[in-house]
Every structure is written in C-alpha cells, then in structure tokens.
Amino acid sequence: MKRLILLSAIAMVTGCSMQSTTKSVSVKAIEESNLSYVEAEKIDKFVVKRAEEFKYFNKTILFATQFDKLRITKSTDKDVAESWGDSTWKEMDQICEHLDYFAEKIFREKNEFVPVKQGGVDVLAIQFSLIDYTPYSSRYEDAAGDTVGIQSNSSGVGLVTVRGVLANAKTGELVAMVEDTIEINGRTASYGNLSSMHDSNNKAAQNIAWRNSFRRFVDNLHQELVRLKYAQVVGGN
C-alpha cells in the first residue's frame, strides 16, 4: 500500500514537472546586439544573453541594493524634489534594505534560486539598483504642512525604477538585465491603498509603502526567473 502511494506521488510530481517544461517563453533578438528581449509577463523589461542558460542555475548570491546613480525625475515638483534631494545616505540605505530583505526572504522561501553566500557554477549573482525616482510626496521628515505632498497621497509615495543585473557568479559574465518601474504605495490584497490610511505622510506609512512595493517586485521577478528556467525558449539569436 505504501509503495502504491509513493508511486502515485512520484507520478504526480513528474507530471507537474513535465507540464512546467512544456510552457514556452518567447525571446526576440535585439538588432546589432548579442542580447534578446524576453516577453515577460510581470516585469517591464527583461533582456538576456542566452535564455537557455537559466536552466543551469539553482542558487543565487544577492548583493546589497545600490542607489548611487539614482536621479530624481525632472518633472517632479520643486519642493518635493528638494525634500528627497536632502536625503541622507542612511535614509536611502534603509529604503534599499527593504528590497534586500524581501529578495533574501522570497528567494529562500520559494525554494528556487535559493540564496547562498558563495559563488559557484550553478549560482546566479544578482544586484539591484534604484535608478530613477518620481516622488509624489515629500519625505516624511518634511511632509508636515507640505500641501503638495498631502494632495498627492492618493497616488502613493511615488514611482521608482529598479534595475537588476544578473551575472554568472563563477565567471562574472552577464546573464541578463531587468528593469521595472513600480508604484510605491501601501496596497496589499487585504489592506487597500496607501491613500486610505489616516496619515500617509508619516514614517510608518512610507515604510509600509516601500516594503509592500518591493515585495511585489521581488515576487514578480522570482516568478519570471522560474518561468524562464523551466520553459521552452522560442526565438532568440
């Protein structure tokens, strides 16, 4: 009886695995480049060098998120832009730590591309950078009495573009690059939008907005990586 149950379980697992590999991902070559676009479902931009290479990665090494090249969009309201321009290194580092936390947590809990501390032949190195930011509200330190920030809270804290560079941890060779522009707000499936909160310009509310938004981004990216790893690649160079 136990043997029958075991055989049934193996058959179910094998069936699920075969079903995963039969799905396809379309890849389109970029002219005059050795890179190709992946038709991603959840990420704005996903380019790869060799899409098939993802099948060989089982682990990741995650480097700390960078913000040294972050720029404030020119169209930003002057007072709001000055507020974020006055951010200290510590303040921005704390924002980036939210992204680092969820990258480590989600990749570990999903049991695919599990984080490790040392590179290897099956290890994918990943580093994120914040590269472009359109704030709708001032930093919480400056938000009190800021009518511009208060009026714009219905849209959340702002829009930020995150870039991820993915490389072979053993050779250092580029594997892929991703970019996604995400809305920074406190929306979750159960709690609604940041604008529904009584005071969305306080420290707790802005932290919730950054954390929830980064969590959605990392979860979406992980799904794309897993999809590419197990799918049949169509097109490309």
Side-chain angles (χ1 to χ4, degrees):
M1 184 66 176
K2 289 182 178 179
R3 181 177 176 81
L4 287 174
I5 294 174
L6 179 60
L7 289 173
S8 298
I10 292 173
M12 290 176 64
V13 172
T14 303
C16 291
S17 177
M18 290 178 64
Q19 185 178 10
S20 296
T21 56
T22 56
K23 293 181 179 179
S24 62
V25 172
S26 296
V27 177
K28 182 179 180 181
I30 302 174
E31 292 186 11
E32 300 181 0
S33 172
N34 62 348
L35 301 175
S36 300
Y37 282 115
V38 176
E39 290 191 1
E41 297 177 347
K42 297 177 178 291
I43 297 293
D44 292 338
K45 185 184 295 183
F46 194 151
V47 297
V48 296
K49 195 167 185 180
R50 291 181 295 275
E52 296 81 0
E53 191 173 357
F54 277 89
K55 301 184 186 303
Y56 305 108
F57 292 112
N58 299 306
K59 307 180 186 74
T60 56
I61 183 167
L62 299 164
F63 293 94
T65 299
Q66 302 296 302
F67 60 89
D68 55 307
K69 294 181 173 61
L70 179 65
R71 62 184 182 186
I72 304 296
T73 308
K74 291 182 179 180
S75 60
T76 302
D77 174 87
K78 181 180 177 182
D79 291 338
V80 174
E82 288 179 352
S83 172
W84 285 96
D86 290 338
S87 299
T88 65
W89 183 277
K90 181 178 179 180
E91 289 169 358
M92 293 305 301
D93 198 44
Q94 287 174 341
I95 288 174
C96 291
E97 285 174 358
H98 296 317
L99 178 51
D100 295 336
Y101 169 79
F102 283 111
E104 177 78 23
K105 176 181 173 63
I106 290 173
F107 277 56
R108 186 171 300 282
E109 290 180 348
K110 298 290 186 181
N111 284 323
E112 289 278 7
F113 301 102
V114 177
V116 294
K117 300 300 182 183
Q118 188 171 353
V121 293
D122 64 340
V123 180
L124 184 66
I126 302 178
Q127 184 168 51
F128 299 114
S129 299
L130 306 185
I131 61 170
D132 193 81
Y133 183 40
T134 305
Y136 301 151
S137 300
S138 300
R139 294 149 58 238
Y140 66 84
E141 293 92 336
D142 300 329
D146 183 353
T147 56
V148 174
I150 293 171
Q151 290 172 353
S152 60
N153 282 336
S154 59
S155 301
V157 176
L159 288 174
V160 69
T161 299
V162 182
R163 176 180 294 161
V165 176
L166 291 67
N168 186 311
K170 183 71 173 180
T171 65
E173 184 181 12
L174 177 70
V175 174
M177 290 183 66
V178 298
E179 272 190 22
D180 202 29
T181 299
I182 57 180
E183 185 180 47
I184 306 301
N185 61 42
R187 185 190 306 118
T188 65
S190 56
Y191 294 110
N193 194 284
L194 177 68
S195 60
S196 66
M197 304 179 71
H198 176 67
D199 181 4
S200 56
N201 266 343
N202 60 40
K203 181 178 181 179
Q206 289 197 0
N207 277 336
I208 288 172
W210 285 104
R211 287 174 63 83
N212 286 349
S213 301
F214 284 150
R215 179 171 56 189
R216 290 193 298 269
F217 163 71
V218 174
D219 191 60
N220 287 341
L221 175 61
H222 188 272
Q223 290 181 51
E224 292 289 354
L225 295 179
V226 172
R227 188 170 73 98
L228 189 56
K229 178 177 180 178
Y230 290 107
Q232 177 184 356
V233 177
V234 179
N237 293 315

